[in-house]
Amino acid sequence: QKEVEQDPGPLSVPEGAIVSLNCTYSNSAFQYFMWYRQYSRKGPELLMYTYSSGNKEDGRFTAQVDKSSKYISLFIRDSQPSDSATYLCAMSAVAGGTSYGKLTFGQGTILTVHP
Amino acid sequence: DTEVTQTPKHLVMGMTNKKSLKCEQHMGHRAMYWYKQKAKKPPELMFVYSYEKLSINESVPSRFSPECPNSSLLNLHLHALQPEDSALYLCASSQEGTGISYNSPLHFGNGTRLTVT
């Protein structure tokens, strides 16, 4: 079993839809949770970054973390064709010691928003 | 545009060549990373530099040799690579030298797409 599970999709939605992307994880030491967006032939771009449980909103994006269920989500409201990309969840245990903030990624979800 | 700059964007090299990848950041970040990403896979950690010292080597073959000349620069020297080493090589940085923390997420460059022939 992988430490982080993410449905690879692909996910196809019409423009304007609400998109829900999810990851589950097994390592209870994870404290930092990130969502990255990666366009084809580009590096991952940091979208959202949360610490521990709770919600965080930034424009059309909302990140949720439920540590009790070991479940994180990214919601995209009013999705646009420019949101078409691969979305990667990533997690890290507490910094320091031997971990040095190593990131563990999900497999990535391919999202297509069609006009 | 990303604040982590990688050069070159593309590189084709033969198995007997020696080449280097370069990464630069001017955000004052104290930890820098090399990741490797194969097609349709997530990035895999190769090396971590903390305060310009190598702190993590994820059992990477010696044909990959990292170097951190100063706090803004990170190089990856390549020698005698194999075709299966063809991939997107990503550099990343984070503010704190101890890695990721509350104010210190990981920021990636756009990578160097390497093809080994």
Side-chain angles (χ1 to χ4, degrees):
Chain A
Q1 184 187 4
K2 294 191 176 98
E3 269 192 303
V4 179
E5 298 277 358
Q6 181 178 5
D7 186 341
L11 184 61
S12 181
V13 301
E15 183 175 354
I18 296 175
V19 176
S20 172
L21 304 169
N22 311 294
C23 289
T24 59
Y25 63 95
S26 57
N27 186 349
S28 58
F30 287 142
Q31 296 279 358
Y32 304 103
F33 304 92
M34 283 143 272
W35 285 96
Y36 287 89
R37 177 175 63 193
Q38 188 170 22
Y39 292 113
S40 180
R41 300 184 176 278
K42 296 287 189 181
E45 172 193 6
L46 181 65
L47 273 181
M48 299 291 284
Y49 177 52
T50 52
Y51 169 67
S52 198
S53 284
N55 292 357
K56 184 175 182 179
E57 188 173 321
D58 184 1
R60 296 185 296 111
F61 299 93
T62 299
Q64 289 185 349
V65 174
D66 182 347
K67 289 194 69 183
S68 62
S69 302
K70 295 191 177 67
Y71 186 87
I72 70 169
S73 300
L74 177 72
F75 297 96
I76 307 173
R77 290 182 298 280
D78 187 25
S79 56
Q80 303 294 310
S82 58
D83 294 327
S84 299
T86 297
Y87 289 80
L88 293 154
C89 66
M91 311 179 188
S92 179
V94 176
T98 59
S99 70
Y100 284 96
K102 177 180 173 180
L103 273 184
T104 302
F105 285 90
Q107 290 299 298
T109 299
I110 301 171
L111 171 67
T112 301
V113 181
H114 51 86
Chain B
D1 284 339
T2 176
E3 293 181 87
V4 178
T5 304
Q6 291 188 244
T7 54
K9 291 184 180 177
H10 303 277
L11 179 63
V12 179
M13 61 184 291
M15 288 189 284
T16 58
N17 292 157
K18 287 185 182 180
K19 296 285 185 183
S20 296
L21 310 184
K22 182 179 173 182
C23 173
E24 201 164 354
Q25 57 87 13
H26 294 289
M27 296 180 283
H29 288 184
R30 301 313 305 271
M32 296 184 77
Y33 310 72
W34 280 115
Y35 277 81
K36 173 182 176 179
Q37 187 177 26
K38 300 283 274 185
K40 301 189 187 302
K41 296 289 186 183
E44 296 176 0
L45 183 65
M46 299 175 72
F47 302 104
V48 180
Y49 272 83
S50 170
Y51 299 107
E52 301 160 48
K53 288 184 170 38
L54 183 64
S55 57
I56 290 181
N57 176 340
E58 290 285 294
S59 302
V60 178
S62 60
R63 58 186 184 267
F64 295 92
S65 175
E67 178 196 20
C68 189
N70 61 55
S71 60
S72 301
L73 282 176
L74 187 66
N75 297 320
L76 186 63
H77 302 297
L78 314 173
H79 173 57
L81 294 193
Q82 304 297 310
E84 58 265 28
D85 296 321
S86 298
L88 181 67
Y89 287 84
L90 295 161
C91 175
S93 68
S94 60
Q95 182 173 337
E96 296 185 12
T98 49
I100 295 163
S101 66
Y102 184 68
N103 291 316
S104 181
L106 207 61
H107 296 271
F108 285 90
N110 278 324
T112 294
R113 188 160 299 278
L114 174 68
T115 303
V116 181
T117 61

